[in-house]
Amino acid sequence: MDQSSYQELKDFASELRKSIITMNCYAGSGHPGGSLSCVEIVSWLFSREMNFSPANRADPCRDRFILSKGHSCLTLYAALAEKGFFSKEEFKKLRHADGMLQGHPDRIKTPGVEFNSGSLGQGFSFALGCALGAKRAGRDNRTYVLLGDGELNEGQIWEGCMFGAHHKLNNITAVVDYNKFQSDDLNENITALEPLNDKFKAFGWQVIEIDGHDFREIEKAFYRARTTAEKPTMIIAHTIKGKGISYMENVPKWHGSLCPTGEERECALRECGCGELA
C-alpha cells in the first residue's frame, strides 16, 4: 500500500470518528467507546476490502458485513453514510422512533444493514450461515463479521467456531475488536479470555493477531484470510477502547449510555475535528 492510499484510509477513519461523536452528541446517548475502537477495521472493510455498495446491496453475490456487536452501530452508520447509503442528515435522528438509525442495527429501517444484531452471539451465527449458503450456491463472495471481546463470553460463539471449522468456511473472516473491556470493567475481571489465540486455533481456525489501528497490519491480515484454503480466519485485533478521544481511551464508563457534555463535549468535538453541531 503506497503512502497516498494509506492517507486515504486515515482520512476515511477520521471522518468515521467525526460522525461517531456527532451522532453521540445529537442523540445524547449511545456506545462511543466500542464504536471508536473498531474504526480502522471498519474503514478498511468499507473502503478497500468489500464488494458492497448502494448499487449492489440487493445482489446475492455481494460481500456481506455483519456487525455482531450491534451496540457499536455508530461505526456502521458512519461507514454506510460515508459510502452513500444515506445522508448524514439522518444522524440528527439517531435513536428517534421516527428515524432510520436505531440504537442497534435494523435491516428494515436502515439501507446497508444486513442483520438486526444486539443479542450478542447471534450475528456470528448468522454470518456463518451466510458463508455456508454462499459456498453451497457456488458463489465466491465473502462474509465479514465483527465481534466484541466481551461477546466471546457467549457459548454461541464457540458453537459457531466448531461449525465454521467443520464446514471449512474459508469464505468467512471474523474479527475480534479486542479492546480488553466489556460493559463496566476489564474482561479479565469479569470472565478472562486468555489464551485467546490458542483457543481459536484449537477450534480449527486460522488465527492472526494484529494492531487493530495499523492499516498496514490490517491489509496483510485480510490478504492472508482471502488466500487461505480449507479454514475460516479469526483476526484478533488489539485495539484501544475510545480510540481518538483522549479522555475516553481505556475508560470503561464510555462503553455506553453516555454522551459528553460541557467541556468534555467541546474536547471530543475538537479532537475529532468537528465544529459546533448545527
Side-chain angles (χ1 to χ4, degrees), residues 11-173:
D11 291 344
F12 191 95
S14 178
E15 288 302 314
L16 295 201
R17 286 199 165 88
K18 289 179 187 178
S19 294
I20 288 166
I21 295 301
T22 297
M23 281 186 272
N24 189 207
C25 289
Y26 277 134
S29 63
H31 291 78
S35 296
L36 291 165
S37 63
C38 62
V39 162
E40 279 74 21
I41 294 294
V42 173
S43 295
W44 175 268
L45 286 170
F46 276 83
S47 62
R48 289 291 187 274
E49 185 75 15
M50 294 193 300
N51 175 28
F52 182 54
S53 69
N56 77 345
R57 66 188 180 97
D59 187 342
C61 294
R62 71 189 181 280
D63 289 337
R64 288 166 172 79
F65 173 73
I66 313 300
L67 181 67
S68 195
K69 58 167 202 158
H71 55 280
S72 295
C73 58
L74 298 182
T75 319
L76 175 57
Y77 298 158
L80 290 171
E82 205 64 36
K83 297 298 290 185
F85 283 85
F86 49 80
S87 167
K88 292 184 181 181
E89 282 294 305
E90 297 295 335
F91 293 171
K92 296 178 180 178
K93 297 175 76 175
L94 175 70
R95 291 190 163 207
H96 288 210
D98 60 344
M100 70 161 57
L101 306 179
Q102 296 301 300
H104 284 79
D106 186 326
R107 64 179 297 275
I108 303 301
K109 288 192 172 187
T110 310
V113 169
E114 298 278 7
F115 182 71
N116 292 25
S117 54
S119 183
L120 296 176
Q122 291 185 359
F124 185 50
S125 294
F126 178 81
L128 289 161
C130 290
L132 180 63
K135 186 174 280 285
R136 288 185 171 178
R139 298 193 297 264
D140 61 1
N141 56 306
R142 298 187 60 80
T143 299
Y144 301 90
V145 56
L146 182 62
L147 305 166
D149 47 5
E151 185 174 10
L152 303 184
N153 294 346
E154 297 285 350
Q156 185 169 356
I157 297 296
W158 303 99
E159 293 176 56
C161 284
M162 287 190 288
F163 179 93
H166 174 78
H167 290 283
K168 300 181 180 180
L169 298 181
N170 63 320
N171 59 342
I172 187 170
T173 302

Side-chain angles (χ1 to χ4, degrees), residues 206-261:
Q206 170 178 236
V207 184
I208 306 168
E209 289 197 66
I210 63 170
D211 176 343
H213 302 302
D214 186 324
F215 282 118
R216 291 184 174 88
E217 291 192 24
I218 292 169
E219 177 186 27
K220 291 175 184 176
F222 279 99
Y223 173 78
R224 281 182 60 190
R226 285 195 308 275
T227 55
T228 295
E230 301 297 312
K231 283 188 176 184
T233 296
M234 183 69 65
I235 297 173
I236 300 174
H238 293 272
T239 61
I240 297 170
K241 194 144 192 170
K243 174 71 172 176
I245 308 300
S246 57
Y247 63 85
M248 290 187 185
E249 291 188 357
N250 292 325
V251 177
K253 77 172 187 177
W254 294 105
H255 170 81
S257 302
L258 287 179
C259 172
T261 58

